[in-house]
């Protein structure tokens, strides 16, 4: 199962670090290659020598160790792995991860990676239960970091409660699950559209909408997290490019359609962009001047419908095309009509009536509408919607559950 898999293990400073040695032994027994980063405080609990003997590799610890950087830069180190495992994950390291700090090799590798990360927290019960740690945990979960443990029990500090690192066998099982999940869509090429489009009025002005791109970017991240070769075509947004995703930046609907077509063939397309329905036909080549005459009238013309266009039958049609429908009334009825009109396979219908609190919020309540019927999802964060959609797409390709 783990034959040929590459694990980058980060060992931070906690008494549970001794269990990580056992974890390395078990991983090696199952055929995984393990590289280890030992933090400075981690080295207070286990020696580089024991880690190195078990991994049969050198142990990495210093960010600015020139030999390390010459042999292998920290970026390379974090990308040359199939999975990063942080065990033990201390309160301090979780805080660094949540806040994007990179002041040593371990935190830098964790910030630089585009691979899945599994953390096994270990700390004193009060540190674990502290709102700061719980908030960091929530942030990291939202970003897709996986967790195993902690377990409840007597602790080295003499207290009792949750905080003990999961046992090596439990971490091993979580590693196997994470690796299996991270390759569910391996070898599949997928396309996601995201963000608003900008339709130029003249060289400096445009018509836009309030789409943040959060949902579309989260979907691209989730698909890449399952191993898909993910291509994101995005209108202008204030979000960073998701790691491990190839990103094409566009402005107008026409550019978005051209970029999507250039990426075909793909097996699945998810249209999450809020594409402007209209472009400015009277677009001026020079900046419009207020020269005393009447205000200019904008002449609009319809934009291409990217979702409908990708759904058109033909040998380049993705085998699964997914669109969104934001409705304020008759949600399911309108979504079904939209499914038929656009010719796509699934519509994720979303109630955006003011009372639902969805619009502009962090959460979505989705109904997956397809020819097979309607699947109601519970209210969840946009990140969770993205992960659930990616899993459903994987189910679809595995011929499992129909929508
Ligand atoms: N879409 C698209 N290209 C467009 C317009 C929409 O790809 N030019 C896609 C969106 O990405 C989304 C779905 O179509 O997946 C939304 O359809 P749309 O017809 O825009 O629905 P609403 O915005 O809900 O508007 P309306 O109800 O007025 O049809």
């Amino acid at each position: 199962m783990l034959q040929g898999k590459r694990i980058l293990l980060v060992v931070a400073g906690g008494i549970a670090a001794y269990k990580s040695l056992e974890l390395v032994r078990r991983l090696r027994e199952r055929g995984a290659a393990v590289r280890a980063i030992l933090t400075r405080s981690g080295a207070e609990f286990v020696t580089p020598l024991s880690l190195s003997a078990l991994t049969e590799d050198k142990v990495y610890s210093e960010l600015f160790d020139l030999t390390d950087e010459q042999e292998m830069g920290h970026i390379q180190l974090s990308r040359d792995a199939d999975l990063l495992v942080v065990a033990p994950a201390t309160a301090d390291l979780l805080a660094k991860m949540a806040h994007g700090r990179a002041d040593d090799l371990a935190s830098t590798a964790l910030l630089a990676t585009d691979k899945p990360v599994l953390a096994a927290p270990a700390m004193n019960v009060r540190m674990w239960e502290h709102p700061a740690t719980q908030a960091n945990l929530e942030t990291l979960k939202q970003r897709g970091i996986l967790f195993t443990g902690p377990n409840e029990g007597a602790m080295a500090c003499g207290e009792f409660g949750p905080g003990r690192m999961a046992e090596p066998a439990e971490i091993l099982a979580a590693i196997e699950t994470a690796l299996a999940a991270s390759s569910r869509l391996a070898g599949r090429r997928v396309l996601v559209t995201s963000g608003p489009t900008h339709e130029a009025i003249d060289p400096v002005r445009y018509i836009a909408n309030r789409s943040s791109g959060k949902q579309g970017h989260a979907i691209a991240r989730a698909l890449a997290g399952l191993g898909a070769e993910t291509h994101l075509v995005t209108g202008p947004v204030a979000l960073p490019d998701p790691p491990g995703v190839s990103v094409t930046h566009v402005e107008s609907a026409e550019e978005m359609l051209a970029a999507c077509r250039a990426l075909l063939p793909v097996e699945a397309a998810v249209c999450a962009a809020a594409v402007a329905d209209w472009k400015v036909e009277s677009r001026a080549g020079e900046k419009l001047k207020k020269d005393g005459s009447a205000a200019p009238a904008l002449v609009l013309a319809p934009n291409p419908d990217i979702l409908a266009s990708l759904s058109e039958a033909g040998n380049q049609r993705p085998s699964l095309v997914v669109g969104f429908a934001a409705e304020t009334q008759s949600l399911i009825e309108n979504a079904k009509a939209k499914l038929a009109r656009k010719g796509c396979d699934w519509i994720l219908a979303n109630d955006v009536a003011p009372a639902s609190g969805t619009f502009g919020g962090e959460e979505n309540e989705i109904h997956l509408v397809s020819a097979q019927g309607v699947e109601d999802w519970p209210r969840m964060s946009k990140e969770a919607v993205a992960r659930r959609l990616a899993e459903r797409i994987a189910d679809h390709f595995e011929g499992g559950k129909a929508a």
Side-chain angles (χ1 to χ4, degrees), residues 174-252:
I175 289 174
E176 283 176 342
T177 308
L179 283 171
S182 68
S183 57
R184 284 193 79 194
L185 288 172
R188 303 211 183 259
R189 190 175 151 90
V190 301
L191 165 66
V192 180
T193 70
S194 183
T197 62
H198 285 184
E199 307 298 330
I201 296 171
D202 68 16
V204 298
R205 302 180 177 95
Y206 56 81
I207 299 177
N209 62 64
R210 295 187 195 278
S211 166
S212 66
K214 272 187 202 162
Q215 185 65 81
H217 277 54
I219 291 168
R221 236 186 348 261
L223 289 166
L226 295 193
E229 178 195 324
T230 308
H231 296 267
L232 173 66
V233 178
T234 177
V237 291
L239 299 172
D241 288 353
V245 170
S246 110
V247 185
T248 310
H249 293 270
V250 298
E251 294 216 341
S252 67

Side-chain angles (χ1 to χ4, degrees), residues 271-273 275 277 304-307 323-324 326 338 341-342:
C271 293
V275 184
D277 289 325
D305 189 316
I306 297 163
L307 177 61
F324 276 81
K338 199 163 282 177
R341 198 167 65 243
K342 306 259 186 178

